[in-house]
Amino acid sequence: MTKLAVTQIRDINKDLKQEAKSNRRTFGAQIEMLAMTGQIAAGIVSPTRVGASGRPVPTYRQVLAAAGVDIRGARTAQTIEEAFFRNDADPILFPYYIEESYREIQNQMRNQLSFTNLVSERIPLTGQTIAQIPTLREDETNTNGDTSRVSEGAEFPTLLIEMGDQTVPLLKYGGNLKASKEALLNIRLPLFNRWLTVLARRETLRKTRNAIKVILNGHGPDTVAPNVDATGGGASIAEIVKGLQLAARYGAQPSIITGDAEVFGTLFNLDILSSPASTFSGAESLRATGQLPSILGMAPLMAPIPSELDGSNKLLLVDPERGLIEFHNPSMDLVEYDYLMSRQLNIVQISEMSGLAKPDQGVGVTVTFA
């Protein structure tokens, strides 16, 4: 029988925060791990709990609800002081709420290309601010690296994974929500959520722009994974297929298509989508609902404006499974817990330290239109 680490809300406290730090996890990740392994009492968190929409209720919302804090329902009229600084409340739930809400908001950009679409792996770094990049390249003694018929005694074609001289610095990013102490404590949760949403979405756009830049330019002047491009004519299905063929050369299978706003928009003028005579099921849905249909099996997502794609006349075909690597500092909280647990607050600071690397060319290929 699994021993419960959290039997009551009071068990979610500073001791658990210290345990998270010892395990090189964020506070939220530690609670998530305990929930997934059945170490939190079912009255607080249940992995099978679903909301009115039928979707699973996030762990942090279940924890807050068990503590009497409702950020979506009838009790959202609570002020921050009423919700998180009552006599029987543990103030650690306030920074926990901010951190997890902020992360959830960043994953809710509908029809928008997001940072999570472009990053396939997050690697923690502790005690260092420069990451060495593992790179994938073909053996210089072999012309193509493809598996093939090998004569007896001959060498097998080889793809090398090596730690070269490529490095990525971890840089600090973030922003502040600032108000008087009275305003911040007495603001009601719906309005505070609105402010937090603005900050989270701006940071998501910043991270997505940076990821696009790394895909197109690599992670440094001597990058081993420069962009590859299939130059096309006018926008057409045939030209997009060129991009898919190029991606296949690198073992990639793009499932997302995005690009320069002008070129991206012309995709939806293609006869297969815009012609009233088109029998394509997605065309009718596009006209009736505005829902962007799949294009050759790829989800069309709008890139942020501005970005490196602006004015490039490029479409970008993305394989999320071959995405960028994000190196991050796991010991650095998204928010300052000790500061936010004090009533002497007038600022909410969001900050993280990370760096992006492009280890190979499979993450994305472009098609440049004349």
Side-chain angles (χ1 to χ4, degrees), residues 10-47:
R10 289 193 185 93
D11 294 331
I12 299 178
N13 52 34
K14 274 191 170 184
D15 290 339
L16 187 60
K17 178 70 172 66
Q18 185 58 45
E19 184 180 327
K21 186 175 182 180
S22 299
N23 291 321
R24 297 182 180 179
R25 297 190 183 105
T26 65
F27 188 54
Q30 182 71 13
I31 294 176
E32 194 72 39
M33 183 277 296
L34 295 175
M36 291 176 63
T37 55
Q39 297 182 63
I40 299 180
I44 299 174
V45 172
S46 172

PDB file of all heavy atoms in Angstrom, residues 10-47:
ATOM      1  N   ARG A  10      -2.797  20.890   5.150  1.00  0.00           N
ATOM      2  CA  ARG A  10      -1.662  21.419   5.931  1.00  0.00           C
ATOM      3  C   ARG A  10      -0.335  20.745   5.557  1.00  0.00           C
ATOM      4  O   ARG A  10       0.734  21.283   5.845  1.00  0.00           O
ATOM      5  CB  ARG A  10      -1.925  21.229   7.428  1.00  0.00           C
ATOM      6  CG  ARG A  10      -3.006  22.138   7.993  1.00  0.00           C
ATOM      7  CD  ARG A  10      -2.976  22.108   9.517  1.00  0.00           C
ATOM      8  NE  ARG A  10      -4.078  22.875  10.086  1.00  0.00           N
ATOM      9  CZ  ARG A  10      -5.246  22.349  10.418  1.00  0.00           C
ATOM     10  NH1 ARG A  10      -5.464  21.058  10.236  1.00  0.00           N
ATOM     11  NH2 ARG A  10      -6.191  23.101  10.938  1.00  0.00           N
ATOM     12  N   ASP A  11      -0.398  19.560   4.948  1.00  0.00           N
ATOM     13  CA  ASP A  11       0.839  18.866   4.538  1.00  0.00           C
ATOM     14  C   ASP A  11       1.485  19.515   3.312  1.00  0.00           C
ATOM     15  O   ASP A  11       2.625  19.182   2.974  1.00  0.00           O
ATOM     16  CB  ASP A  11       0.550  17.392   4.240  1.00  0.00           C
ATOM     17  CG  ASP A  11       0.122  16.630   5.487  1.00  0.00           C
ATOM     18  OD1 ASP A  11       0.548  17.023   6.587  1.00  0.00           O
ATOM     19  OD2 ASP A  11      -0.641  15.657   5.352  1.00  0.00           O
ATOM     20  N   ILE A  12       0.757  20.386   2.637  1.00  0.00           N
ATOM     21  CA  ILE A  12       1.331  21.120   1.489  1.00  0.00           C
ATOM     22  C   ILE A  12       1.890  22.418   2.060  1.00  0.00           C
ATOM     23  O   ILE A  12       1.197  23.427   2.180  1.00  0.00           O
ATOM     24  CB  ILE A  12       0.267  21.367   0.410  1.00  0.00           C
ATOM     25  CG1 ILE A  12      -0.261  20.024  -0.104  1.00  0.00           C
ATOM     26  CG2 ILE A  12       0.840  22.180  -0.748  1.00  0.00           C
ATOM     27  CD1 ILE A  12      -1.356  20.134  -1.142  1.00  0.00           C
ATOM     28  N   ASN A  13       3.156  22.379   2.417  1.00  0.00           N
ATOM     29  CA  ASN A  13       3.752  23.456   3.190  1.00  0.00           C
ATOM     30  C   ASN A  13       5.219  23.637   2.824  1.00  0.00           C
ATOM     31  O   ASN A  13       5.705  23.085   1.832  1.00  0.00           O
ATOM     32  CB  ASN A  13       3.597  23.153   4.682  1.00  0.00           C
ATOM     33  CG  ASN A  13       4.107  21.754   5.020  1.00  0.00           C
ATOM     34  OD1 ASN A  13       5.068  21.266   4.408  1.00  0.00           O
ATOM     35  ND2 ASN A  13       3.481  21.109   5.985  1.00  0.00           N
ATOM     36  N   LYS A  14       5.941  24.396   3.631  1.00  0.00           N
ATOM     37  CA  LYS A  14       7.346  24.688   3.355  1.00  0.00           C
ATOM     38  C   LYS A  14       8.220  23.439   3.360  1.00  0.00           C
ATOM     39  O   LYS A  14       9.215  23.356   2.640  1.00  0.00           O
ATOM     40  CB  LYS A  14       7.885  25.696   4.380  1.00  0.00           C
ATOM     41  CG  LYS A  14       7.643  27.148   4.007  1.00  0.00           C
ATOM     42  CD  LYS A  14       8.450  28.052   4.928  1.00  0.00           C
ATOM     43  CE  LYS A  14       8.432  29.487   4.425  1.00  0.00           C
ATOM     44  NZ  LYS A  14       9.286  30.365   5.262  1.00  0.00           N
ATOM     45  N   ASP A  15       7.866  22.460   4.194  1.00  0.00           N
ATOM     46  CA  ASP A  15       8.651  21.219   4.228  1.00  0.00           C
ATOM     47  C   ASP A  15       8.575  20.513   2.882  1.00  0.00           C
ATOM     48  O   ASP A  15       9.576  19.982   2.382  1.00  0.00           O
ATOM     49  CB  ASP A  15       8.135  20.290   5.332  1.00  0.00           C
ATOM     50  CG  ASP A  15       8.437  20.824   6.730  1.00  0.00           C
ATOM     51  OD1 ASP A  15       9.357  21.667   6.845  1.00  0.00           O
ATOM     52  OD2 ASP A  15       7.751  20.412   7.684  1.00  0.00           O
ATOM     53  N   LEU A  16       7.386  20.518   2.283  1.00  0.00           N
ATOM     54  CA  LEU A  16       7.228  19.897   0.968  1.00  0.00           C
ATOM     55  C   LEU A  16       7.976  20.699  -0.089  1.00  0.00           C
ATOM     56  O   LEU A  16       8.543  20.134  -1.034  1.00  0.00           O
ATOM     57  CB  LEU A  16       5.737  19.806   0.617  1.00  0.00           C
ATOM     58  CG  LEU A  16       5.388  19.020  -0.653  1.00  0.00           C
ATOM     59  CD1 LEU A  16       5.858  17.580  -0.534  1.00  0.00           C
ATOM     60  CD2 LEU A  16       3.881  19.057  -0.890  1.00  0.00           C
ATOM     61  N   LYS A  17       8.023  22.009   0.084  1.00  0.00           N
ATOM     62  CA  LYS A  17       8.781  22.856  -0.841  1.00  0.00           C
ATOM     63  C   LYS A  17      10.274  22.516  -0.768  1.00  0.00           C
ATOM     64  O   LYS A  17      10.959  22.442  -1.796  1.00  0.00           O
ATOM     65  CB  LYS A  17       8.568  24.336  -0.483  1.00  0.00           C
ATOM     66  CG  LYS A  17       9.349  25.322  -1.340  1.00  0.00           C
ATOM     67  CD  LYS A  17       8.801  25.357  -2.756  1.00  0.00           C
ATOM     68  CE  LYS A  17       9.426  26.467  -3.571  1.00  0.00           C
ATOM     69  NZ  LYS A  17      10.867  26.289  -3.825  1.00  0.00           N
ATOM     70  N   GLN A  18      10.775  22.289   0.439  1.00  0.00           N
ATOM     71  CA  GLN A  18      12.178  21.925   0.605  1.00  0.00           C
ATOM     72  C   GLN A  18      12.453  20.551  -0.008  1.00  0.00           C
ATOM     73  O   GLN A  18      13.503  20.319  -0.615  1.00  0.00           O
ATOM     74  CB  GLN A  18      12.546  21.918   2.092  1.00  0.00           C
ATOM     75  CG  GLN A  18      14.019  21.669   2.374  1.00  0.00           C
ATOM     76  CD  GLN A  18      14.921  22.692   1.713  1.00  0.00           C
ATOM     77  OE1 GLN A  18      14.650  23.894   1.761  1.00  0.00           O
ATOM     78  NE2 GLN A  18      15.991  22.236   1.065  1.00  0.00           N
ATOM     79  N   GLU A  19      11.497  19.660   0.120  1.00  0.00           N
ATOM     80  CA  GLU A  19      11.635  18.333  -0.491  1.00  0.00           C
ATOM     81  C   GLU A  19      11.706  18.443  -2.008  1.00  0.00           C
ATOM     82  O   GLU A  19      12.492  17.754  -2.659  1.00  0.00           O
ATOM     83  CB  GLU A  19      10.447  17.456  -0.077  1.00  0.00           C
ATOM     84  CG  GLU A  19      10.523  16.022  -0.563  1.00  0.00           C
ATOM     85  CD  GLU A  19       9.330  15.207  -0.113  1.00  0.00           C
ATOM     86  OE1 GLU A  19       8.807  15.472   0.996  1.00  0.00           O
ATOM     87  OE2 GLU A  19       8.919  14.307  -0.873  1.00  0.00           O
ATOM     88  N   ALA A  20      10.889  19.329  -2.572  1.00  0.00           N
ATOM     89  CA  ALA A  20      10.921  19.557  -4.027  1.00  0.00           C
ATOM     90  C   ALA A  20      12.289  20.066  -4.448  1.00  0.00           C
ATOM     91  O   ALA A  20      12.854  19.598  -5.455  1.00  0.00           O
ATOM     92  CB  ALA A  20       9.830  20.551  -4.421  1.00  0.00           C
ATOM     93  N   LYS A  21      12.832  20.992  -3.699  1.00  0.00           N
ATOM     94  CA  LYS A  21      14.141  21.551  -4.031  1.00  0.00           C
ATOM     95  C   LYS A  21      15.218  20.477  -3.962  1.00  0.00           C
ATOM     96  O   LYS A  21      16.118  20.416  -4.811  1.00  0.00           O
ATOM     97  CB  LYS A  21      14.467  22.700  -3.081  1.00  0.00           C
ATOM     98  CG  LYS A  21      15.751  23.439  -3.432  1.00  0.00           C
ATOM     99  CD  LYS A  21      15.955  24.658  -2.531  1.00  0.00           C
ATOM    100  CE  LYS A  21      17.225  25.412  -2.921  1.00  0.00           C
ATOM    101  NZ  LYS A  21      17.433  26.610  -2.057  1.00  0.00           N
ATOM    102  N   SER A  22      15.141  19.597  -2.953  1.00  0.00           N
ATOM    103  CA  SER A  22      16.122  18.520  -2.816  1.00  0.00           C
ATOM    104  C   SER A  22      16.065  17.561  -3.995  1.00  0.00           C
ATOM    105  O   SER A  22      17.081  16.979  -4.385  1.00  0.00           O
ATOM    106  CB  SER A  22      15.870  17.745  -1.513  1.00  0.00           C
ATOM    107  OG  SER A  22      16.008  18.586  -0.390  1.00  0.00           O
ATOM    108  N   ASN A  23      14.867  17.407  -4.569  1.00  0.00           N
ATOM    109  CA  ASN A  23      14.683  16.522  -5.718  1.00  0.00           C
ATOM    110  C   ASN A  23      14.844  17.246  -7.053  1.00  0.00           C
ATOM    111  O   ASN A  23      14.554  16.682  -8.103  1.00  0.00           O
ATOM    112  CB  ASN A  23      13.292  15.875  -5.663  1.00  0.00           C
ATOM    113  CG  ASN A  23      13.156  14.878  -4.534  1.00  0.00           C
ATOM    114  OD1 ASN A  23      14.084  14.128  -4.239  1.00  0.00           O
ATOM    115  ND2 ASN A  23      11.998  14.870  -3.883  1.00  0.00           N
ATOM    116  N   ARG A  24      15.290  18.522  -6.989  1.00  0.00           N
ATOM    117  CA  ARG A  24      15.493  19.340  -8.185  1.00  0.00           C
ATOM    118  C   ARG A  24      14.215  19.452  -9.019  1.00  0.00           C
ATOM    119  O   ARG A  24      14.217  19.316 -10.235  1.00  0.00           O
ATOM    120  CB  ARG A  24      16.632  18.776  -9.042  1.00  0.00           C
ATOM    121  CG  ARG A  24      17.974  18.794  -8.334  1.00  0.00           C
ATOM    122  CD  ARG A  24      19.081  18.267  -9.215  1.00  0.00           C
ATOM    123  NE  ARG A  24      20.367  18.306  -8.508  1.00  0.00           N
ATOM    124  CZ  ARG A  24      21.512  17.880  -9.034  1.00  0.00           C
ATOM    125  NH1 ARG A  24      21.526  17.387 -10.257  1.00  0.00           N
ATOM    126  NH2 ARG A  24      22.619  17.931  -8.346  1.00  0.00           N
ATOM    127  N   ARG A  25      13.113  19.669  -8.315  1.00  0.00           N
ATOM    128  CA  ARG A  25      11.821  19.868  -8.967  1.00  0.00           C
ATOM    129  C   ARG A  25      11.232  21.190  -8.515  1.00  0.00           C
ATOM    130  O   ARG A  25      11.546  21.691  -7.439  1.00  0.00           O
ATOM    131  CB  ARG A  25      10.824  18.756  -8.601  1.00  0.00           C
ATOM    132  CG  ARG A  25      11.195  17.361  -9.040  1.00  0.00           C
ATOM    133  CD  ARG A  25      10.004  16.429  -8.819  1.00  0.00           C
ATOM    134  NE  ARG A  25      10.336  15.064  -9.155  1.00  0.00           N
ATOM    135  CZ  ARG A  25      10.571  14.104  -8.267  1.00  0.00           C
ATOM    136  NH1 ARG A  25      10.481  14.381  -6.978  1.00  0.00           N
ATOM    137  NH2 ARG A  25      10.872  12.879  -8.652  1.00  0.00           N
ATOM    138  N   THR A  26      10.350  21.723  -9.342  1.00  0.00           N
ATOM    139  CA  THR A  26       9.562  22.855  -8.885  1.00  0.00           C
ATOM    140  C   THR A  26       8.551  22.341  -7.869  1.00  0.00           C
ATOM    141  O   THR A  26       8.277  21.137  -7.782  1.00  0.00           O
ATOM    142  CB  THR A  26       8.809  23.528 -10.046  1.00  0.00           C
ATOM    143  OG1 THR A  26       7.849  22.602 -10.578  1.00  0.00           O
ATOM    144  CG2 THR A  26       9.767  23.970 -11.142  1.00  0.00           C
ATOM    145  N   PHE A  27       7.980  23.258  -7.105  1.00  0.00           N
ATOM    146  CA  PHE A  27       6.977  22.879  -6.118  1.00  0.00           C
ATOM    147  C   PHE A  27       5.795  22.201  -6.811  1.00  0.00           C
ATOM    148  O   PHE A  27       5.301  21.152  -6.360  1.00  0.00           O
ATOM    149  CB  PHE A  27       6.533  24.133  -5.362  1.00  0.00           C
ATOM    150  CG  PHE A  27       5.638  23.864  -4.189  1.00  0.00           C
ATOM    151  CD1 PHE A  27       6.017  22.982  -3.195  1.00  0.00           C
ATOM    152  CD2 PHE A  27       4.418  24.526  -4.066  1.00  0.00           C
ATOM    153  CE1 PHE A  27       5.195  22.749  -2.092  1.00  0.00           C
ATOM    154  CE2 PHE A  27       3.600  24.302  -2.972  1.00  0.00           C
ATOM    155  CZ  PHE A  27       3.981  23.413  -1.977  1.00  0.00           C
ATOM    156  N   GLY A  28       5.361  22.783  -7.923  1.00  0.00           N
ATOM    157  CA  GLY A  28       4.236  22.204  -8.662  1.00  0.00           C
ATOM    158  C   GLY A  28       4.552  20.819  -9.187  1.00  0.00           C
ATOM    159  O   GLY A  28       3.706  19.909  -9.152  1.00  0.00           O
ATOM    160  N   ALA A  29       5.776  20.626  -9.708  1.00  0.00           N
ATOM    161  CA  ALA A  29       6.164  19.317 -10.237  1.00  0.00           C
ATOM    162  C   ALA A  29       6.216  18.273  -9.130  1.00  0.00           C
ATOM    163  O   ALA A  29       5.872  17.106  -9.346  1.00  0.00           O
ATOM    164  CB  ALA A  29       7.521  19.419 -10.927  1.00  0.00           C
ATOM    165  N   GLN A  30       6.624  18.673  -7.928  1.00  0.00           N
ATOM    166  CA  GLN A  30       6.661  17.746  -6.797  1.00  0.00           C
ATOM    167  C   GLN A  30       5.251  17.296  -6.425  1.00  0.00           C
ATOM    168  O   GLN A  30       4.992  16.103  -6.216  1.00  0.00           O
ATOM    169  CB  GLN A  30       7.340  18.407  -5.597  1.00  0.00           C
ATOM    170  CG  GLN A  30       7.479  17.518  -4.373  1.00  0.00           C
ATOM    171  CD  GLN A  30       8.506  16.414  -4.538  1.00  0.00           C
ATOM    172  OE1 GLN A  30       9.297  16.436  -5.478  1.00  0.00           O
ATOM    173  NE2 GLN A  30       8.498  15.438  -3.648  1.00  0.00           N
ATOM    174  N   ILE A  31       4.322  18.243  -6.370  1.00  0.00           N
ATOM    175  CA  ILE A  31       2.936  17.895  -6.035  1.00  0.00           C
ATOM    176  C   ILE A  31       2.332  17.025  -7.138  1.00  0.00           C
ATOM    177  O   ILE A  31       1.615  16.057  -6.862  1.00  0.00           O
ATOM    178  CB  ILE A  31       2.105  19.179  -5.815  1.00  0.00           C
ATOM    179  CG1 ILE A  31       2.612  19.916  -4.576  1.00  0.00           C
ATOM    180  CG2 ILE A  31       0.621  18.849  -5.674  1.00  0.00           C
ATOM    181  CD1 ILE A  31       1.937  21.243  -4.314  1.00  0.00           C
ATOM    182  N   GLU A  32       2.651  17.345  -8.389  1.00  0.00           N
ATOM    183  CA  GLU A  32       2.157  16.546  -9.513  1.00  0.00           C
ATOM    184  C   GLU A  32       2.667  15.108  -9.413  1.00  0.00           C
ATOM    185  O   GLU A  32       1.921  14.144  -9.653  1.00  0.00           O
ATOM    186  CB  GLU A  32       2.611  17.174 -10.831  1.00  0.00           C
ATOM    187  CG  GLU A  32       1.902  16.658 -12.066  1.00  0.00           C
ATOM    188  CD  GLU A  32       0.476  17.127 -12.161  1.00  0.00           C
ATOM    189  OE1 GLU A  32       0.181  18.289 -11.821  1.00  0.00           O
ATOM    190  OE2 GLU A  32      -0.374  16.297 -12.573  1.00  0.00           O
ATOM    191  N   MET A  33       3.937  14.933  -9.056  1.00  0.00           N
ATOM    192  CA  MET A  33       4.507  13.598  -8.910  1.00  0.00           C
ATOM    193  C   MET A  33       3.809  12.825  -7.798  1.00  0.00           C
ATOM    194  O   MET A  33       3.474  11.643  -7.951  1.00  0.00           O
ATOM    195  CB  MET A  33       6.010  13.720  -8.623  1.00  0.00           C
ATOM    196  CG  MET A  33       6.757  12.377  -8.523  1.00  0.00           C
ATOM    197  SD  MET A  33       6.634  11.573  -6.900  1.00  0.00           S
ATOM    198  CE  MET A  33       7.490  12.768  -5.862  1.00  0.00           C
ATOM    199  N   LEU A  34       3.551  13.490  -6.674  1.00  0.00           N
ATOM    200  CA  LEU A  34       2.864  12.828  -5.574  1.00  0.00           C
ATOM    201  C   LEU A  34       1.445  12.414  -5.965  1.00  0.00           C
ATOM    202  O   LEU A  34       0.978  11.333  -5.591  1.00  0.00           O
ATOM    203  CB  LEU A  34       2.817  13.758  -4.352  1.00  0.00           C
ATOM    204  CG  LEU A  34       4.169  14.105  -3.704  1.00  0.00           C
ATOM    205  CD1 LEU A  34       3.969  15.121  -2.584  1.00  0.00           C
ATOM    206  CD2 LEU A  34       4.858  12.852  -3.176  1.00  0.00           C
ATOM    207  N   ALA A  35       0.792  13.271  -6.741  1.00  0.00           N
ATOM    208  CA  ALA A  35      -0.567  12.947  -7.190  1.00  0.00           C
ATOM    209  C   ALA A  35      -0.565  11.752  -8.134  1.00  0.00           C
ATOM    210  O   ALA A  35      -1.400  10.849  -8.026  1.00  0.00           O
ATOM    211  CB  ALA A  35      -1.189  14.166  -7.872  1.00  0.00           C
ATOM    212  N   MET A  36       0.383  11.732  -9.071  1.00  0.00           N
ATOM    213  CA  MET A  36       0.443  10.649 -10.063  1.00  0.00           C
ATOM    214  C   MET A  36       0.779   9.304  -9.427  1.00  0.00           C
ATOM    215  O   MET A  36       0.390   8.253  -9.938  1.00  0.00           O
ATOM    216  CB  MET A  36       1.475  10.989 -11.133  1.00  0.00           C
ATOM    217  CG  MET A  36       1.078  12.138 -12.047  1.00  0.00           C
ATOM    218  SD  MET A  36       2.386  12.559 -13.222  1.00  0.00           S
ATOM    219  CE  MET A  36       2.508  11.026 -14.157  1.00  0.00           C
ATOM    220  N   THR A  37       1.517   9.325  -8.316  1.00  0.00           N
ATOM    221  CA  THR A  37       1.911   8.076  -7.647  1.00  0.00           C
ATOM    222  C   THR A  37       0.989   7.731  -6.475  1.00  0.00           C
ATOM    223  O   THR A  37       1.308   6.847  -5.677  1.00  0.00           O
ATOM    224  CB  THR A  37       3.371   8.175  -7.144  1.00  0.00           C
ATOM    225  OG1 THR A  37       3.519   9.347  -6.302  1.00  0.00           O
ATOM    226  CG2 THR A  37       4.337   8.283  -8.310  1.00  0.00           C
ATOM    227  N   GLY A  38      -0.137   8.414  -6.380  1.00  0.00           N
ATOM    228  CA  GLY A  38      -1.137   8.079  -5.364  1.00  0.00           C
ATOM    229  C   GLY A  38      -0.735   8.412  -3.957  1.00  0.00           C
ATOM    230  O   GLY A  38      -1.215   7.770  -3.007  1.00  0.00           O
ATOM    231  N   GLN A  39       0.120   9.424  -3.767  1.00  0.00           N
ATOM    232  CA  GLN A  39       0.601   9.770  -2.432  1.00  0.00           C
ATOM    233  C   GLN A  39      -0.129  10.965  -1.822  1.00  0.00           C
ATOM    234  O   GLN A  39       0.283  11.491  -0.795  1.00  0.00           O
ATOM    235  CB  GLN A  39       2.102  10.053  -2.476  1.00  0.00           C
ATOM    236  CG  GLN A  39       2.943   8.859  -2.898  1.00  0.00           C
ATOM    237  CD  GLN A  39       4.421   9.189  -2.885  1.00  0.00           C
ATOM    238  OE1 GLN A  39       4.998   9.487  -1.838  1.00  0.00           O
ATOM    239  NE2 GLN A  39       5.043   9.143  -4.060  1.00  0.00           N
ATOM    240  N   ILE A  40      -1.211  11.406  -2.501  1.00  0.00           N
ATOM    241  CA  ILE A  40      -2.051  12.479  -1.955  1.00  0.00           C
ATOM    242  C   ILE A  40      -3.442  11.906  -1.709  1.00  0.00           C
ATOM    243  O   ILE A  40      -3.992  11.195  -2.562  1.00  0.00           O
ATOM    244  CB  ILE A  40      -2.132  13.671  -2.923  1.00  0.00           C
ATOM    245  CG1 ILE A  40      -0.740  14.262  -3.159  1.00  0.00           C
ATOM    246  CG2 ILE A  40      -3.062  14.749  -2.369  1.00  0.00           C
ATOM    247  CD1 ILE A  40      -0.720  15.454  -4.102  1.00  0.00           C
ATOM    248  N   ALA A  41      -4.010  12.198  -0.576  1.00  0.00           N
ATOM    249  CA  ALA A  41      -5.326  11.669  -0.215  1.00  0.00           C
ATOM    250  C   ALA A  41      -6.357  11.982  -1.295  1.00  0.00           C
ATOM    251  O   ALA A  41      -6.376  13.081  -1.856  1.00  0.00           O
ATOM    252  CB  ALA A  41      -5.764  12.251   1.128  1.00  0.00           C
ATOM    253  N   ALA A  42      -7.235  11.007  -1.567  1.00  0.00           N
ATOM    254  CA  ALA A  42      -8.222  11.145  -2.643  1.00  0.00           C
ATOM    255  C   ALA A  42      -9.168  12.316  -2.405  1.00  0.00           C
ATOM    256  O   ALA A  42      -9.711  12.879  -3.353  1.00  0.00           O
ATOM    257  CB  ALA A  42      -9.011   9.849  -2.783  1.00  0.00           C
ATOM    258  N   GLY A  43      -9.356  12.694  -1.163  1.00  0.00           N
ATOM    259  CA  GLY A  43     -10.222  13.841  -0.879  1.00  0.00           C
ATOM    260  C   GLY A  43      -9.625  15.160  -1.314  1.00  0.00           C
ATOM    261  O   GLY A  43     -10.337  16.160  -1.429  1.00  0.00           O
ATOM    262  N   ILE A  44      -8.318  15.160  -1.568  1.00  0.00           N
ATOM    263  CA  ILE A  44      -7.647  16.371  -2.036  1.00  0.00           C
ATOM    264  C   ILE A  44      -7.446  16.331  -3.538  1.00  0.00           C
ATOM    265  O   ILE A  44      -7.812  17.264  -4.254  1.00  0.00           O
ATOM    266  CB  ILE A  44      -6.288  16.538  -1.313  1.00  0.00           C
ATOM    267  CG1 ILE A  44      -6.505  16.673   0.193  1.00  0.00           C
ATOM    268  CG2 ILE A  44      -5.536  17.761  -1.859  1.00  0.00           C
ATOM    269  CD1 ILE A  44      -5.211  16.701   0.990  1.00  0.00           C
ATOM    270  N   VAL A  45      -6.875  15.249  -4.044  1.00  0.00           N
ATOM    271  CA  VAL A  45      -6.600  15.103  -5.476  1.00  0.00           C
ATOM    272  C   VAL A  45      -7.019  13.716  -5.942  1.00  0.00           C
ATOM    273  O   VAL A  45      -6.680  12.715  -5.300  1.00  0.00           O
ATOM    274  CB  VAL A  45      -5.101  15.318  -5.785  1.00  0.00           C
ATOM    275  CG1 VAL A  45      -4.807  14.971  -7.244  1.00  0.00           C
ATOM    276  CG2 VAL A  45      -4.691  16.747  -5.504  1.00  0.00           C
ATOM    277  N   SER A  46      -7.744  13.667  -7.037  1.00  0.00           N
ATOM    278  CA  SER A  46      -8.094  12.394  -7.665  1.00  0.00           C
ATOM    279  C   SER A  46      -7.720  12.468  -9.138  1.00  0.00           C
ATOM    280  O   SER A  46      -8.211  13.347  -9.859  1.00  0.00           O
ATOM    281  CB  SER A  46      -9.590  12.114  -7.536  1.00  0.00           C
ATOM    282  OG  SER A  46      -9.945  10.973  -8.312  1.00  0.00           O
ATOM    283  N   PRO A  47      -6.862  11.544  -9.641  1.00  0.00           N
ATOM    284  CA  PRO A  47      -6.453  11.579 -11.051  1.00  0.00           C
ATOM    285  C   PRO A  47      -7.618  11.412 -12.024  1.00  0.00           C
ATOM    286  O   PRO A  47      -7.512  11.788 -13.188  1.00  0.00           O
ATOM    287  CB  PRO A  47      -5.477  10.394 -11.155  1.00  0.00           C
ATOM    288  CG  PRO A  47      -5.010  10.155  -9.761  1.00  0.00           C
ATOM    289  CD  PRO A  47      -6.172  10.491  -8.886  1.00  0.00           C
TER     290      PRO A  47
END
